[in-house]
Amino acid sequence: MSKQALFDDIDDDADRLTGLAEQLWANPELSLQEHDSAAALQDALREEGFTVESDVAGIDTAFVARYGDDDPVVGTMGEFDALPGMSQAATAEREPIEAGAPGHGCGHNLFGVGSLAGAIAVKRAIERGDCEGSVVYFGTPAEEVGAGKVYMIQAGAFEDVDAVITWHPDWYNAPNECSTLAMDAFDVQFTGESAHAAKSPEAGRSALDGVQLLGTGIEYMREHVPDPVRIHYVVTEGGEAANVVPEEAAMEVMVRAPDRAAVERVSDRVRDAAEGAALMSGTDADVTQTTGMYGVLPNGTLADSIRENMDAAEFPLSDEQASFAADLKATLDDPSYESVPPEHRDEATESAMFTDPIDAPDAGETAAYSTDSGDVSWNAPLGRFRAATWPAGTPLHSWQAVAAGKDLGTAGMLFAGKVVAGSLYDLLTDEELLAEARAEYEHRKGDREYESPLPSDADPYELAER
Ligand SMILES: [Zn+2]
């Protein structure tokens, strides 16, 4: 069979798929509260004959949907959480539907459904006998607050998958071939003794002193860490009033570096610094790790395969969508085209939607962010790409991204679904490709073993409460 059958399948199903994306868009749910969104995606997969395991890793919006019993096993991931305060109508002017309410500023309604489209198309190909194997859809919640995927890995959800293809909404079409930063995050809670700050300061022990001493310790530490290490912090609690010695004070600290081992070494020193700060201030310090992630292990083999599928799949943009994209693009104050190489910037500047696929612009680079997809990439070969769901130059987490997410973005979503489907189909039908992707994965990993960056008793719901 030709790959066109997979793509036609997604085009034939476009009304249902865009309807589902619109349903998620109209009901944006925050991390770990994505109940309706997770249920809608699970229903669609169940109807299609997938076996769905819910409540994975003790997270009631995490799920794994599987079709088939045979090897190889290929998978894709969907995110579906929204961002606080991003409510916006699907109009080309700033107009919240409900001021202060959540909105899909990162396009995760498109992300969740685009991957689902890919998984379903592959399932139908297996059912038709066009290929053999199994396809898995990982429903991965809570991307915006941290580490849903890390908990799912801890629970064994990614144990038997041979390769995974994923994507993210953006304003251009290209594979990702970059790495990302490994990261740890901590809450440090200092507890002292409150007292009247003027009348009996000698009776007090200031928790805020502990926080400030830890900040000072980190500033001195900065000079003596490996070059790419980044440490950032904020004071999340600093006392109530200047005339009361603060009994409680707290700080959030993040440590990032390309190399997981470097993060862990610096994290240990942050823990030591917290203990030292507690000793100096006569307080107690309680350090709780809230998030931890690996950097992405890129996979050039999968990036190349994704790139080929981008050329094969057509981008279904209607005239109405193109004209709305132009209106929406006109509202961008200062669009940046820096993320595509210089030779594509003219085209990006001139287009409302930049739909021509380009090569991975970031091979060999380490992008300055962290994602829990990093952990997936240490458990299976992971191919990543971005698809143009927004007008050229649109930043993530902008109101324009929300406005584009209802209808305009579904064109890029269907395109992404086709690229996911085509790439997974290649892995099921081309033994050599899968072997090569796995060999690259093993080679990049070397003798480093993946160990969960989170303590075994970490509670995902504590994250959402912070
Ligand atoms: Zn996102």
Side-chain angles (χ1 to χ4, degrees):
M1 129 193 147
S2 80
K3 206 176 270 173
Q4 196 56 42
L6 286 172
F7 300 160
D8 291 346
D9 212 11
I10 289 176
D11 283 332
D12 292 346
D13 219 4
D15 285 349
R16 186 177 70 111
L17 294 166
T18 55
L20 187 54
E22 190 174 323
Q23 186 186 330
L24 266 56
W25 182 88
N27 179 23
E29 298 172 297
L30 296 178
S31 296
L32 298 175
Q33 300 166 30
E34 320 93 326
H35 293 107
D36 293 347
S37 305
L41 294 166
Q42 291 179 61
D43 285 349
L45 288 156
R46 250 187 229 107
E47 258 169 49
E48 194 65 33
F50 281 74
T51 308
V52 181
E53 185 194 348
S54 314
D55 298 314
V56 173
I59 302 175
D60 49 19
T61 50
F63 62 94
V64 177
R66 171 187 288 260
Y67 181 84
D69 303 309
D70 299 326
D71 285 334
V73 182
V74 294
T76 185
M77 305 194 281
E79 295 173 6
F80 34 85
D81 53 337
L83 288 159
M86 296 254 19
S87 176
Q88 167 65 37
T91 52
E93 59 185 309
R94 179 79 176 110
E95 190 189 323
I97 296 171
E98 187 192 337
H104 272 293
C106 212
H108 290 185
N109 63 312
L110 306 169
F111 187 166
V113 179
S115 300
L116 176 132
I120 288 178
V122 172
K123 172 257 161 180
R124 290 179 185 169
I126 295 173
E127 197 175 33
R128 284 194 299 267
D130 291 342
C131 53
E132 276 174 33
S134 306
V135 59
V136 183
Y137 179 99
F138 297 95
T140 65
E143 193 275 335
E144 297 293 358
V145 298
K149 297 180 191 67
V150 183
Y151 292 97
M152 293 178 74
I153 290 166
Q154 264 185 350
F158 286 84
E159 250 158 37
D160 76 335
V161 66
D162 294 303
V164 178
I165 301 291
T166 191
W167 72 288
H168 196 284
D170 213 311
W171 59 263
Y172 60 105
N173 298 313
N176 293 63
E177 217 178 317
C178 62
S179 186
T180 61
L181 296 173
M183 185 252 252
D184 273 345
F186 305 94
D187 270 346
V188 187
Q189 183 77 38
F190 286 90
T191 307
E193 202 69 60
S194 79
H196 194 291
K199 234 160 83 183
S200 47
E202 73 286 353
R205 296 291 180 268
S206 168
L208 181 59
D209 288 358
V211 160
Q212 287 178 301
L213 286 164
L214 173 55
T216 305
I218 289 171
E219 294 313 326
Y220 278 95
M221 197 192 299
R222 252 185 233 295
E223 191 185 346
H224 306 287
V225 295
D227 207 15
V229 170
R230 295 275 180 281
I231 315 173
H232 16 270
Y233 58 82
V234 290
V235 176
T236 49
E237 188 182 356
E240 301 294 332
N243 62 350
V244 180
V245 174
E247 186 175 358
E248 297 290 338
M251 193 180 224
E252 182 186 21
V253 186
M254 289 180 180
V255 179
R256 300 187 211 242
D259 178 32
R260 177 76 211 156
V263 168
E264 284 174 10
R265 281 195 297 274
V266 173
S267 292
D268 283 345
R269 289 169 65 194
V270 169
R271 284 194 187 88
D272 287 347
E275 222 171 280
L279 265 176
M280 280 190 278
S281 55
T283 60
D284 289 320
D286 187 20
V287 182
T288 308
Q289 190 184 345
T290 51
T291 308
M293 292 172 207
Y294 274 60
V296 166
L297 276 186
N299 195 293
T301 310
L302 293 177
D304 291 347
S305 163
I306 285 167
R307 181 69 185 81
E308 281 169 28
N309 279 286
M310 283 186 168
D311 278 337
E314 66 279 33
F315 195 101
L317 190 70
S318 72
D319 291 346
E320 296 80 54
Q321 287 171 329
S323 117
F324 179 62
D327 292 347
L328 196 53
K329 183 173 169 166
T331 70
L332 296 172
D333 282 336
D334 188 16
S336 166
Y337 307 107
E338 296 283 302
S339 40
V340 296
E343 67 268 27
H344 296 297
R345 287 184 197 151
D346 283 349
E347 189 182 349
T349 309
E350 283 152 22
S351 341
M353 292 296 287
F354 182 26
T355 58
D356 289 338
I358 62 171
D359 293 343
D362 49 11
E365 291 174 16
T366 300
Y369 65 87
S370 307
T371 165
D372 56 0
S373 291
D375 294 72
V376 175
S377 74
W378 281 78
N379 285 274
L382 177 69
R384 303 164 70 219
F385 66 96
R386 47 298 242 195
T389 58
W390 307 324
T394 303
L396 270 80
H397 299 195
S398 61
W399 69 258
Q400 288 90 349
V402 186
K406 184 185 181 187
D407 173 60
L408 168 58
T410 58
M413 174 192 87
L414 295 171
F415 174 77
K418 293 176 192 177
V419 175
V420 168
S423 305
L424 294 180
Y425 179 79
D426 286 344
L427 288 164
L428 290 180
T429 51
D430 183 347
E431 254 174 64
E432 236 166 76
L433 174 71
L434 180 58
E436 209 181 300
R438 290 207 61 88
E440 182 177 344
Y441 159 75
E442 295 294 350
H443 174 75
R444 287 186 186 264
K445 218 168 131 174
D447 53 10
R448 296 174 292 177
E449 278 300 311
Y450 177 83
E451 277 170 44
S452 180
L454 295 175
S456 56
D457 61 350
D459 177 359
Y461 288 95
E462 265 178 25
L463 275 179
E465 280 164 19
R466 288 186 309 138

